[in-house]
């Protein structure tokens, strides 16, 4: 490796992108193309970065497997930044194995961290937790340690464990300060600020109360019967009843919880759950069936009693009933939470992360675009969706596929 390549690599390691480009910006040999690709990625020119990295990988010979593996890892990180989640994780795993076999521990760690962050982005938290348990960044570059700790903090926050998240963010801040990379320091500061922002709203008869993540965690541990509209389920103590896949039952439960300690009138339940303002005997029969299903589901935690007007929720063991609402009003809260990171998402990536069909996501985006809450750039397959950053609160509880509380 010549002196210019070495100097450019060192410049990129400390975030000096322009210094790196001054050394290799006019060169087209594979090592220079790879460094130019990394520089373009740091400048936010992700399509150009991907093209340069692919050209570099093709340029390395069959005997240069180590260099090709490094290009694969860099391209995977660029794909993550572009929210291109369609690639196979096997390619990245093979590159990590090749790097480990050749004692390139730093780049192998980078590959594992990219895979971990991809799992988090897709909401595969069990997979991310397993990857994190096998990740050992001791002795690695400080910047890589900071990114790994940020991932650990996000995993803890999405499991509503704020104390481990604070500890991980403290370690991330220390590592970012050692690395001296301004972008990393800013990312850690943003994650620390999220701990203090409203994450949900506690709805009660007199109005609503904003709660940060620590307050939500304390509420969940209080033993109250919590109807959680952020994660679509029912929580009491250590018992969790998910209802994300049963929207009618959740709508009924939410309405009954909002009326507690009183009852909810039958016509109001039908209008909210079945989306009709003119109920007939069919709707009333269906209401009785759905209430029966809901009774069976919540039986260990509460009973549902018939009244003269309708139905009432009666928690067991003298528990109080709490309704927890998202900080963002509307049915598209999870979609807006994904777009809140400021990155440009394709509809296919959004569908993959949310677990919905691409057509469902397209309809939701069209609705939000009509309200002026999102905008698109590009056309056809190159179309991407953006949303203004949602300041003032954190969307961590709205991200998809969150783990049940433990």
């Amino acid at each position: 490796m010549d002196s210019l390549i070495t100097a450019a690599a060192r410049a990129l390691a400390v975030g000096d992108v322009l210094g790196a480009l001054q050394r290799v910006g006019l060169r087209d040999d594979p090592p220079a193309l790879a460094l130019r690709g990394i520089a373009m990625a740091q400048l936010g020119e992700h399509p150009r970065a991907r093209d340069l990295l692919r050209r570099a990988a093709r340029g390395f010979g069959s005997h240069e497997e180590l260099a090709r593996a490094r290009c694969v890892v860099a391209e995977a990180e660029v794909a993550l930044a572009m929210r291109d989640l369609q690639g196979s994780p096997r390619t990245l795993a093979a590159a990590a194995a090749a790097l480990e076999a050749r004692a390139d521990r730093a780049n192998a760690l980078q590959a594992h961290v990219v895979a971990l962050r991809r799992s988090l982005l897709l909401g595969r938290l069990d997979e991310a937790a397993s990857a994190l348990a096998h990740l050992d960044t001791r002795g690695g570059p400080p910047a890589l340690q900071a990114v790994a700790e940020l991932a650990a903090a996000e995993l803890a926050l999405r499991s509503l464990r704020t104390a481990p998240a604070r500890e991980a963010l403290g370690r991330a801040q220390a590592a970012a300060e050692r690395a001296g990379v301004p972008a990393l320091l800013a990312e850690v500061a943003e994650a620390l600020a999220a701990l203090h922002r409203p994450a949900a709203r506690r709805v009660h008869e007199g109005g609503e109360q904003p709660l940060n993540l620590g307050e939500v965690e304390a509420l969940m541990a209080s033993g109250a019967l919590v109807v959680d509209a952020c994660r679509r389920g029912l929580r009491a103590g250590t018992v969790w009843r998910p209802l994300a896949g049963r929207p009618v039952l959740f709508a009924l439960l939410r309405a009954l919880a909002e009326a507690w300690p009183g009852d909810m009138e039958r016509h109001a339940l039908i209008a909210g759950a079945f989306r009709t303002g003119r109920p007939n005997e069919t709707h009333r029969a269906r209401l009785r069936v759905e209430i029966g299903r809901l009774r069976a589901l919540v039986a260990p935690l509460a009973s549902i009693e018939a009244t003269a007007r309708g139905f009432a929720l009666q928690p067991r063991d003298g528990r109080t009933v709490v309704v927890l609402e998202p900080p963002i009003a509307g049915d598209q809260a999870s979609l807006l939470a994904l777009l809140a990171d400021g990155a440009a998402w394709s509809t296919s990536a959004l569908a993959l992360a949310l677990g919905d069909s691409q057509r469902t996501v397209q309809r939701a985006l069209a609705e939000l675009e009509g309200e002026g809450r999102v905008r698109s750039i590009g056309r056809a397959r190159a179309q991407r969706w953006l949303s203004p950053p949602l300041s003032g609160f954190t969307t961590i509880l709205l991200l998809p596929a969150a783990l049940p509380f433990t």
Side-chain angles (χ1 to χ4, degrees):
M1 186 178 294
D2 60 51
S3 59
L4 284 177
I5 294 293
T6 302
R10 287 175 178 168
L12 285 175
V14 297
D16 183 9
V17 179
L18 297 181
L21 289 175
Q22 285 175 350
R23 292 169 174 86
V24 296
L26 298 178
R27 292 176 51 169
D28 284 329
D29 52 296
L33 288 173
L35 292 175
R36 284 170 57 193
I38 295 170
M40 289 294 104
Q42 292 188 12
L43 289 173
E45 296 290 337
H46 297 127
R48 178 63 174 155
R50 172 181 278 185
D51 178 62
L52 288 166
L53 289 166
R54 287 177 174 174
R55 285 173 57 193
R58 290 195 299 268
F60 287 115
S62 58
H63 61 289
E64 296 175 294
E65 187 174 358
L66 179 62
R68 289 205 311 274
R70 289 171 177 168
C71 289
V72 169
V73 173
E75 186 183 340
E77 188 166 16
V78 170
L80 192 68
M82 294 175 65
R83 300 300 186 258
D84 182 354
L85 308 178
Q86 300 295 326
S88 171
R90 296 178 182 175
T91 304
L92 184 59
L99 291 165
E100 287 170 346
R102 287 158 180 78
D104 187 350
R105 183 170 179 270
N107 281 297
L109 281 174
Q110 179 78 2
H112 292 306
V113 169
V114 170
L116 167 61
R117 291 170 61 202
R118 183 179 184 274
S119 297
L120 282 172
L121 198 60
L122 290 172
R124 298 171 182 171
L125 301 193
D126 288 331
E127 185 179 294
S130 176
L132 185 63
H134 293 90
L135 191 66
D136 182 7
T137 60
R138 289 175 297 181
L144 193 57
Q145 292 178 3
V147 173
E149 293 295 351
L150 281 168
E154 182 179 347
L155 180 62
L157 287 175
R158 291 177 67 174
S159 304
L160 258 192
R161 295 180 292 115
T162 55
R166 287 181 188 276
E167 294 172 2
L169 288 174
R171 295 190 296 268
Q173 187 170 33
E177 289 171 353
R178 291 196 304 272
V181 180
L184 264 181
L185 289 167
E187 190 172 352
V188 173
E190 176 64 20
L192 284 167
L195 290 170
H196 306 287
R197 292 176 182 152
R201 295 173 291 136
R202 178 177 180 172
V203 179
H204 49 81
E205 188 176 359
E208 60 183 46
Q209 173 191 0
L211 303 177
N212 63 31
L213 287 166
E215 291 167 337
V216 173
E217 182 182 17
L219 176 63
M220 294 299 181
S222 69
L225 188 70
V226 181
V227 177
D228 186 352
C230 297
R231 299 183 176 186
R232 299 299 181 97
L234 180 66
R235 170 79 172 185
T238 58
V239 181
W240 169 254
R241 291 287 184 270
L243 287 166
R246 307 182 77 172
V248 171
L249 294 189
F250 183 76
L252 291 172
L253 178 63
R254 186 174 181 173
L256 292 172
E258 288 173 349
W260 183 86
D263 60 354
M264 177 61 74
E265 200 267 339
R266 287 179 176 82
H267 284 189
L269 287 172
I270 290 171
F274 306 146
R275 309 278 180 132
T276 179
R278 301 179 66 181
N280 54 35
E281 285 302 320
T282 301
H283 293 119
R284 284 186 276 274
R286 185 184 174 193
L287 177 64
R288 290 192 293 272
V289 171
E290 299 295 352
I291 287 290
R293 290 171 177 165
L294 185 60
R295 275 197 184 105
L297 191 143
V298 305
L301 307 176
S303 62
I304 299 175
E305 306 294 338
T307 67
R309 295 175 65 245
F311 296 92
L313 183 66
Q314 300 293 336
R316 303 192 188 282
D317 304 323
R319 301 178 190 267
T320 58
V321 177
V322 176
V323 179
L324 202 62
E325 295 281 353
I328 308 172
D331 295 334
Q332 310 302 338
S334 293
L335 180 57
L336 286 171
L338 284 174
L339 292 171
D341 62 4
W345 288 73
S346 66
T347 52
S348 59
L350 288 168
L352 187 60
L354 290 169
D356 288 332
S357 70
Q358 193 166 339
R359 183 61 188 144
T360 298
V361 171
Q362 287 170 343
R363 285 196 296 266
L365 287 169
E367 180 181 331
L368 291 171
E369 187 179 29
E371 297 171 0
R373 303 174 76 181
V374 301
R375 64 185 177 90
S376 65
I377 54 175
R379 295 291 180 187
R381 295 177 64 87
Q383 187 177 37
R384 296 293 185 270
W385 293 89
L386 296 160
S387 172
L390 300 170
S391 59
F393 52 83
T394 177
T395 58
I396 195 74
L397 295 183
L398 301 177
L399 295 174
L403 285 172
F405 303 114
T406 56

